[in-house]
Amino acid sequence: MSLSRAKRAVIESCPDRLYPLIAGLYRTAFPADTSGGAAAATVLDREAAVPESLPAAELEHVRVLPHRTDLLEHMPTKGTAAEFGTGDGAFAESILRATEPETLYLVDQWESDEARQAVEQRFREHQSTVRLRDAEPVSVLRDADTGSLDWVYINSSHEYEATLAELRESGRAVAADGYIAGDDYKIVNGVIPAVHQFCAETDWRLAYLTLETHGRRSYALRRG
C-alpha cells in the first residue's frame, strides 16, 4: 500500500468520536506546507462540507429493510443496471435473480486475469445480459449516457472522495426515476459522509436502509 493510501485509510477508518484527535495528530505529522499535508487536506477538511446529519424531513419516508437482498425487491426490473465492485460475483447473482435486468454491467478492477475469468465463468449462461468491465467506476459512469442506467449498486472503494465522485456521476447517469444504491453504510469508512454530502447538494434522498447485524448496511437513494 502506498503512503498516501495508508494515510487515507487511517482517516477513513477513524470513528467519529476519535476524528478530532486523529486529525490533530495527522496535521502535526503532516503539516499543510508539506506535500503530504497538502495532499491530505481534502480528506481532513471534508468535515466543512459534510452536514452533521440529514434534516428530519428527509428521513420521514425512509424504509428500513432486513437485508440487502430485500432491497433488491424494490429495485427496477427488466432494465439496465450496474454493480461497481463486483468481486467474485456473488451479490451480482442475487441482482440477476431478483431484478432480471436486460443488461447488467459488472465493474471491478480484478486483481488477476484468473479472478476476472472466474466471474466470466460464473455468468457464462448469461452472456447476453452480463457485461464485464475491468475499469474504475468513475470512468465507466462518465462514459455512460445521461439517464441510461435504471439503477446502480456501489460497492467499490468506500473511501470518501471516491464514493462522492461515484455518487455525483451516478446522479447524471441514472434515470430520473431510478435508484442509486450502495453497500457499507457505516461509520468506519467514508460512505456515510459521502452519501450525506451528496444528498445535501442534490435532490436525491434516502429511500431505503438495510439493518444487518454485521453492520455492513446498504442504502438506496431516489430523487425527492
Side-chain angles (χ1 to χ4, degrees), residues 93 96-97 101-102 117-132:
E93 282 191 339
L96 201 61
R97 286 194 302 269
E102 291 185 2
Q117 289 167 6
V119 178
E120 288 180 340
Q121 180 68 11
R122 188 168 198 157
F123 295 99
R124 66 187 183 281
E125 297 180 0
H126 302 278
Q127 294 180 12
S128 62
T129 299
V130 175
R131 302 177 185 177
L132 272 60

mmCIF file of all heavy atoms in Angstrom, residues 93 96-97 101-102 117-132:
data_model
loop_
_atom_site.group_PDB
_atom_site.id
_atom_site.type_symbol
_atom_site.label_atom_id
_atom_site.label_comp_id
_atom_site.label_asym_id
_atom_site.label_seq_id
_atom_site.Cartn_x
_atom_site.Cartn_y
_atom_site.Cartn_z
ATOM 1 N N GLU A 93 -25.132 -12.295 -8.631
ATOM 2 C CA GLU A 93 -26.074 -13.394 -8.877
ATOM 3 C C GLU A 93 -27.441 -13.061 -8.277
ATOM 4 O O GLU A 93 -28.480 -13.321 -8.891
ATOM 5 C CB GLU A 93 -25.545 -14.700 -8.298
ATOM 6 C CG GLU A 93 -24.477 -15.362 -9.141
ATOM 7 C CD GLU A 93 -24.168 -16.777 -8.664
ATOM 8 O OE1 GLU A 93 -24.470 -17.084 -7.485
ATOM 9 O OE2 GLU A 93 -23.642 -17.568 -9.457
ATOM 10 N N LEU A 96 -29.138 -10.497 -10.426
ATOM 11 C CA LEU A 96 -29.644 -11.126 -11.655
ATOM 12 C C LEU A 96 -30.966 -11.842 -11.391
ATOM 13 O O LEU A 96 -31.934 -11.710 -12.161
ATOM 14 C CB LEU A 96 -28.595 -12.089 -12.190
ATOM 15 C CG LEU A 96 -28.654 -12.483 -13.660
ATOM 16 C CD1 LEU A 96 -28.497 -11.263 -14.562
ATOM 17 C CD2 LEU A 96 -27.568 -13.506 -13.960
ATOM 18 N N ARG A 97 -31.023 -12.590 -10.303
ATOM 19 C CA ARG A 97 -32.236 -13.344 -9.986
ATOM 20 C C ARG A 97 -33.401 -12.419 -9.619
ATOM 21 O O ARG A 97 -34.531 -12.615 -10.070
ATOM 22 C CB ARG A 97 -31.973 -14.308 -8.818
ATOM 23 C CG ARG A 97 -31.150 -15.527 -9.177
ATOM 24 C CD ARG A 97 -31.241 -16.565 -8.078
ATOM 25 N NE ARG A 97 -30.780 -16.027 -6.789
ATOM 26 C CZ ARG A 97 -29.523 -16.114 -6.359
ATOM 27 N NH1 ARG A 97 -28.596 -16.682 -7.121
ATOM 28 N NH2 ARG A 97 -29.188 -15.631 -5.178
ATOM 29 N N PRO A 101 -32.474 -8.120 -15.068
ATOM 30 C CA PRO A 101 -32.150 -6.989 -15.952
ATOM 31 C C PRO A 101 -31.950 -7.419 -17.396
ATOM 32 O O PRO A 101 -31.557 -8.561 -17.678
ATOM 33 C CB PRO A 101 -30.839 -6.467 -15.359
ATOM 34 C CG PRO A 101 -30.214 -7.678 -14.728
ATOM 35 C CD PRO A 101 -31.360 -8.471 -14.174
ATOM 36 N N GLU A 102 -32.216 -6.493 -18.299
ATOM 37 C CA GLU A 102 -31.891 -6.738 -19.701
ATOM 38 C C GLU A 102 -30.381 -6.663 -19.909
ATOM 39 O O GLU A 102 -29.815 -7.420 -20.700
ATOM 40 C CB GLU A 102 -32.603 -5.727 -20.590
ATOM 41 C CG GLU A 102 -34.113 -5.908 -20.652
ATOM 42 C CD GLU A 102 -34.754 -4.964 -21.640
ATOM 43 O OE1 GLU A 102 -34.014 -4.198 -22.305
ATOM 44 O OE2 GLU A 102 -35.988 -4.982 -21.750
ATOM 45 N N GLN A 117 -11.649 -14.086 -14.951
ATOM 46 C CA GLN A 117 -12.136 -15.238 -15.699
ATOM 47 C C GLN A 117 -13.094 -16.080 -14.860
ATOM 48 O O GLN A 117 -14.039 -16.677 -15.400
ATOM 49 C CB GLN A 117 -10.963 -16.079 -16.183
ATOM 50 C CG GLN A 117 -10.150 -15.416 -17.290
ATOM 51 C CD GLN A 117 -8.821 -16.086 -17.546
ATOM 52 O OE1 GLN A 117 -8.514 -17.144 -16.972
ATOM 53 N NE2 GLN A 117 -8.004 -15.481 -18.403
ATOM 54 N N ALA A 118 -12.867 -16.116 -13.560
ATOM 55 C CA ALA A 118 -13.773 -16.854 -12.676
ATOM 56 C C ALA A 118 -15.168 -16.227 -12.689
ATOM 57 O O ALA A 118 -16.182 -16.937 -12.655
ATOM 58 C CB ALA A 118 -13.211 -16.884 -11.261
ATOM 59 N N VAL A 119 -15.215 -14.893 -12.741
ATOM 60 C CA VAL A 119 -16.513 -14.208 -12.814
ATOM 61 C C VAL A 119 -17.157 -14.462 -14.179
ATOM 62 O O VAL A 119 -18.367 -14.706 -14.273
ATOM 63 C CB VAL A 119 -16.346 -12.699 -12.558
ATOM 64 C CG1 VAL A 119 -17.688 -11.981 -12.688
ATOM 65 C CG2 VAL A 119 -15.761 -12.454 -11.168
ATOM 66 N N GLU A 120 -16.367 -14.420 -15.226
ATOM 67 C CA GLU A 120 -16.887 -14.730 -16.559
ATOM 68 C C GLU A 120 -17.491 -16.130 -16.586
ATOM 69 O O GLU A 120 -18.572 -16.349 -17.151
ATOM 70 C CB GLU A 120 -15.768 -14.620 -17.596
ATOM 71 C CG GLU A 120 -15.322 -13.210 -17.903
ATOM 72 C CD GLU A 120 -14.209 -13.179 -18.937
ATOM 73 O OE1 GLU A 120 -13.542 -14.226 -19.110
ATOM 74 O OE2 GLU A 120 -14.013 -12.134 -19.574
ATOM 75 N N GLN A 121 -16.799 -17.070 -15.968
ATOM 76 C CA GLN A 121 -17.287 -18.443 -15.932
ATOM 77 C C GLN A 121 -18.570 -18.540 -15.123
ATOM 78 O O GLN A 121 -19.488 -19.290 -15.472
ATOM 79 C CB GLN A 121 -16.203 -19.357 -15.335
ATOM 80 C CG GLN A 121 -16.571 -20.826 -15.245
ATOM 81 C CD GLN A 121 -16.701 -21.484 -16.613
ATOM 82 O OE1 GLN A 121 -16.318 -20.912 -17.636
ATOM 83 N NE2 GLN A 121 -17.254 -22.687 -16.644
ATOM 84 N N ARG A 122 -18.646 -17.774 -14.062
ATOM 85 C CA ARG A 122 -19.825 -17.798 -13.195
ATOM 86 C C ARG A 122 -21.086 -17.382 -13.948
ATOM 87 O O ARG A 122 -22.178 -17.875 -13.669
ATOM 88 C CB ARG A 122 -19.579 -16.877 -11.996
ATOM 89 C CG ARG A 122 -20.644 -16.949 -10.919
ATOM 90 C CD ARG A 122 -20.185 -16.236 -9.668
ATOM 91 N NE ARG A 122 -20.972 -16.626 -8.512
ATOM 92 C CZ ARG A 122 -20.573 -16.525 -7.248
ATOM 93 N NH1 ARG A 122 -19.368 -16.035 -6.975
ATOM 94 N NH2 ARG A 122 -21.359 -16.904 -6.254
ATOM 95 N N PHE A 123 -20.916 -16.466 -14.903
ATOM 96 C CA PHE A 123 -22.073 -15.942 -15.635
ATOM 97 C C PHE A 123 -22.072 -16.384 -17.100
ATOM 98 O O PHE A 123 -22.639 -15.706 -17.948
ATOM 99 C CB PHE A 123 -22.082 -14.415 -15.538
ATOM 100 C CG PHE A 123 -22.300 -13.906 -14.139
ATOM 101 C CD1 PHE A 123 -21.213 -13.492 -13.366
ATOM 102 C CD2 PHE A 123 -23.571 -13.876 -13.586
ATOM 103 C CE1 PHE A 123 -21.405 -13.032 -12.068
ATOM 104 C CE2 PHE A 123 -23.770 -13.428 -12.287
ATOM 105 C CZ PHE A 123 -22.689 -13.012 -11.522
ATOM 106 N N ARG A 124 -21.452 -17.512 -17.371
ATOM 107 C CA ARG A 124 -21.327 -17.976 -18.744
ATOM 108 C C ARG A 124 -22.680 -18.225 -19.394
ATOM 109 O O ARG A 124 -22.825 -18.110 -20.623
ATOM 110 C CB ARG A 124 -20.475 -19.251 -18.799
ATOM 111 C CG ARG A 124 -21.089 -20.470 -18.129
ATOM 112 C CD ARG A 124 -20.113 -21.632 -18.070
ATOM 113 N NE ARG A 124 -20.703 -22.838 -17.494
ATOM 114 C CZ ARG A 124 -20.858 -23.035 -16.199
ATOM 115 N NH1 ARG A 124 -20.454 -22.113 -15.330
ATOM 116 N NH2 ARG A 124 -21.411 -24.162 -15.750
ATOM 117 N N GLU A 125 -23.698 -18.545 -18.589
ATOM 118 C CA GLU A 125 -25.027 -18.790 -19.141
ATOM 119 C C GLU A 125 -25.826 -17.505 -19.345
ATOM 120 O O GLU A 125 -26.959 -17.552 -19.818
ATOM 121 C CB GLU A 125 -25.800 -19.751 -18.231
ATOM 122 C CG GLU A 125 -25.176 -21.136 -18.107
ATOM 123 C CD GLU A 125 -25.969 -22.039 -17.192
ATOM 124 O OE1 GLU A 125 -27.007 -21.581 -16.653
ATOM 125 O OE2 GLU A 125 -25.557 -23.206 -17.011
ATOM 126 N N HIS A 126 -25.237 -16.385 -18.973
ATOM 127 C CA HIS A 126 -25.944 -15.093 -19.085
ATOM 128 C C HIS A 126 -25.122 -14.093 -19.900
ATOM 129 O O HIS A 126 -25.159 -12.897 -19.636
ATOM 130 C CB HIS A 126 -26.217 -14.530 -17.688
ATOM 131 C CG HIS A 126 -27.011 -15.445 -16.808
ATOM 132 N ND1 HIS A 126 -28.387 -15.534 -16.877
ATOM 133 C CD2 HIS A 126 -26.616 -16.328 -15.847
ATOM 134 C CE1 HIS A 126 -28.822 -16.425 -15.994
ATOM 135 N NE2 HIS A 126 -27.773 -16.917 -15.357
ATOM 136 N N GLN A 127 -24.409 -14.586 -20.875
ATOM 137 C CA GLN A 127 -23.518 -13.730 -21.652
ATOM 138 C C GLN A 127 -24.258 -12.639 -22.416
ATOM 139 O O GLN A 127 -23.701 -11.581 -22.698
ATOM 140 C CB GLN A 127 -22.687 -14.581 -22.623
ATOM 141 C CG GLN A 127 -21.710 -15.515 -21.926
ATOM 142 C CD GLN A 127 -20.902 -16.347 -22.912
ATOM 143 O OE1 GLN A 127 -20.903 -16.098 -24.113
ATOM 144 N NE2 GLN A 127 -20.203 -17.350 -22.403
ATOM 145 N N SER A 128 -25.515 -12.884 -22.752
ATOM 146 C CA SER A 128 -26.278 -11.865 -23.473
ATOM 147 C C SER A 128 -26.740 -10.742 -22.565
ATOM 148 O O SER A 128 -27.132 -9.667 -23.035
ATOM 149 C CB SER A 128 -27.499 -12.506 -24.148
ATOM 150 O OG SER A 128 -28.364 -13.071 -23.171
ATOM 151 N N THR A 129 -26.676 -10.973 -21.254
ATOM 152 C CA THR A 129 -27.142 -9.988 -20.270
ATOM 153 C C THR A 129 -25.995 -9.333 -19.516
ATOM 154 O O THR A 129 -25.960 -8.112 -19.344
ATOM 155 C CB THR A 129 -28.096 -10.652 -19.255
ATOM 156 O OG1 THR A 129 -29.238 -11.161 -19.947
ATOM 157 C CG2 THR A 129 -28.543 -9.664 -18.188
ATOM 158 N N VAL A 130 -25.054 -10.142 -19.054
ATOM 159 C CA VAL A 130 -23.980 -9.666 -18.177
ATOM 160 C C VAL A 130 -22.779 -9.223 -19.008
ATOM 161 O O VAL A 130 -22.286 -9.963 -19.861
ATOM 162 C CB VAL A 130 -23.567 -10.773 -17.194
ATOM 163 C CG1 VAL A 130 -22.366 -10.317 -16.363
ATOM 164 C CG2 VAL A 130 -24.734 -11.133 -16.284
ATOM 165 N N ARG A 131 -22.301 -8.014 -18.708
ATOM 166 C CA ARG A 131 -21.140 -7.469 -19.414
ATOM 167 C C ARG A 131 -20.106 -7.015 -18.380
ATOM 168 O O ARG A 131 -20.400 -6.157 -17.542
ATOM 169 C CB ARG A 131 -21.558 -6.301 -20.305
ATOM 170 C CG ARG A 131 -22.612 -6.711 -21.322
ATOM 171 C CD ARG A 131 -23.085 -5.567 -22.170
ATOM 172 N NE ARG A 131 -24.169 -5.968 -23.048
ATOM 173 C CZ ARG A 131 -24.820 -5.151 -23.868
ATOM 174 N NH1 ARG A 131 -24.478 -3.858 -23.928
ATOM 175 N NH2 ARG A 131 -25.800 -5.599 -24.619
ATOM 176 N N LEU A 132 -18.921 -7.562 -18.447
ATOM 177 C CA LEU A 132 -17.859 -7.236 -17.501
ATOM 178 C C LEU A 132 -17.043 -6.054 -17.999
ATOM 179 O O LEU A 132 -16.732 -5.959 -19.189
ATOM 180 C CB LEU A 132 -16.951 -8.438 -17.284
ATOM 181 C CG LEU A 132 -17.355 -9.431 -16.180
ATOM 182 C CD1 LEU A 132 -18.720 -10.029 -16.460
ATOM 183 C CD2 LEU A 132 -16.312 -10.522 -16.026
#
